[in-house]
Amino acid sequence: MSSNNCGITIALSKGRILEETLPLLEAAGILPTEDPESSRKLILPTQDPDVRIVIVRATDVPTYVQYGAADIGIAGKDVLIEHGGQGLYEPLDLQIARCKMMVAVSEGFDYAAAVKPGSRLRVATKYVNIARQHFAAKGVHIDLIKLYGSMELGPLVGLSDAIVDLVSSGNTLRANNLQAVEEVMPISSRLVVNPAALKLKHERLQRILTDFEGAVARQAA
Ligand code: ATP
Ligand code: MG
């Protein structure tokens, strides 16, 4: 199916995950031959002729790995839950790009009253599966509105009562007079592996996994 039969292909996305991933790659002896952040290439060679990096959209990382177009990838837990995780082995929490999935509302909105049994809440989010699971577990009925970005605008213009979004510093919420009212779950980035590739290229992939594990443990210490 692919031109990917002996080498290793790693799927990464630009942005904050890449920044925090580069030290882990280095610990695994994987050194891109040019700066992935500034390069316009979609396929980046590394100093190891058998290892290449492909740069994809964050939400597409699980798809590339699921279909074996990449052997391994790094994606946020948020992305993995929304994707569903079919066809992916998720062996390692890299503990990078850490943030929280939160429910946020306009300052002054009575969230406690809005989630009482029998009431309905309009929720705008990019993370529809996570939001649906969260409110179902609380027994709260919601009307879900799917957005692709700038969720913070939702409550400000009356599109929704609440949003479900990733929060790290809380600066964006504050700048828009929103407040976080509930944590849905902690989020960090995970290593994902194609299970068939793990069998076929076991030695090389297992070594990368072990190197990543060591780097994560050192980083935590
Ligand atoms: P795009 O911005 O191109 O639409 P995206 O929003 O999916 O794509 P990023 O904003 O780079 O891409 O986010 C990628 C991942 O980084 C997310 O899936 C999440 O796991 C993590 N992340 C997002 N926001 C934060 C944050 N505020 N702090 C820490 N990690 C975050
Ligand atoms: Mg983004």
Side-chain angles (χ1 to χ4, degrees):
M1 163 207 139
S2 65
S3 55
N4 182 24
N5 291 329
C6 41
I8 301 290
T9 300
I10 304 175
L12 299 176
S13 57
K14 288 195 181 187
R16 68 191 100 221
I17 290 185
L18 182 60
E19 202 175 292
E20 294 185 57
T21 298
L22 289 177
L24 298 174
L25 285 177
E26 201 177 319
I30 298 165
L31 300 160
T33 52
E34 57 189 285
D35 178 10
E37 200 58 65
S38 57
S39 175
R40 288 170 179 269
K41 286 187 186 159
L42 298 176
I43 301 181
L44 294 172
T46 71
Q47 285 178 10
D48 182 337
D50 288 332
V51 180
R52 63 181 185 172
I53 293 168
V54 292
I55 301 292
V56 304
R57 192 77 186 260
T59 43
D60 290 334
V61 167
T63 307
Y64 278 83
V65 177
Q66 170 188 6
Y67 288 98
D71 302 296
I72 62 180
I74 294 176
K77 186 67 184 172
D78 50 315
V79 165
L80 294 173
I81 294 175
E82 290 301 319
H83 167 268
Q86 317 88 301
L88 296 176
Y89 169 51
E90 189 191 311
L92 186 60
D93 182 349
L94 298 170
Q95 293 172 41
I96 58 171
R98 294 169 79 153
C99 52
K100 286 177 175 160
M101 191 65 75
M102 306 278 296
V103 181
V105 299
S106 287
E107 272 166 21
F109 179 82
D110 190 350
Y111 181 66
V115 295
K116 287 221 171 86
S119 53
R120 289 190 85 89
L121 188 71
R122 281 178 310 151
V123 178
T125 188
K126 174 169 148 182
Y127 309 101
V128 289
N129 291 334
I130 292 173
R132 202 179 282 118
Q133 281 167 28
H134 176 71
F135 289 105
K138 290 164 64 76
V140 174
H141 291 283
I142 59 167
D143 296 313
L144 257 185
I145 301 166
K146 165 85 184 184
L147 289 177
Y148 292 88
S150 303
M151 268 82 81
E152 296 85 0
L153 188 58
L156 303 180
V157 294
L159 179 67
S160 69
D161 303 313
I163 61 172
V164 169
D165 197 6
L166 293 172
V167 179
S168 48
S169 68
N171 286 338
T172 310
L173 292 182
R174 265 190 300 281
N176 292 293
N177 302 314
L178 300 177
Q179 61 182 129
V181 286
E182 198 163 69
E183 177 173 337
V184 177
M185 61 178 72
I187 297 289
S188 56
S189 291
R190 313 297 166 99
L191 196 67
V192 287
V193 184
N194 178 282
L198 190 57
K199 285 197 195 112
L200 292 168
K201 307 173 189 177
H202 187 263
E203 202 180 321
R204 185 68 178 100
L205 282 175
Q206 192 55 54
R207 199 161 75 236
I208 293 175
L209 279 180
T210 306
D211 288 346
F212 267 72
E213 253 165 36
V216 171
R218 279 194 302 280
Q219 219 166 44

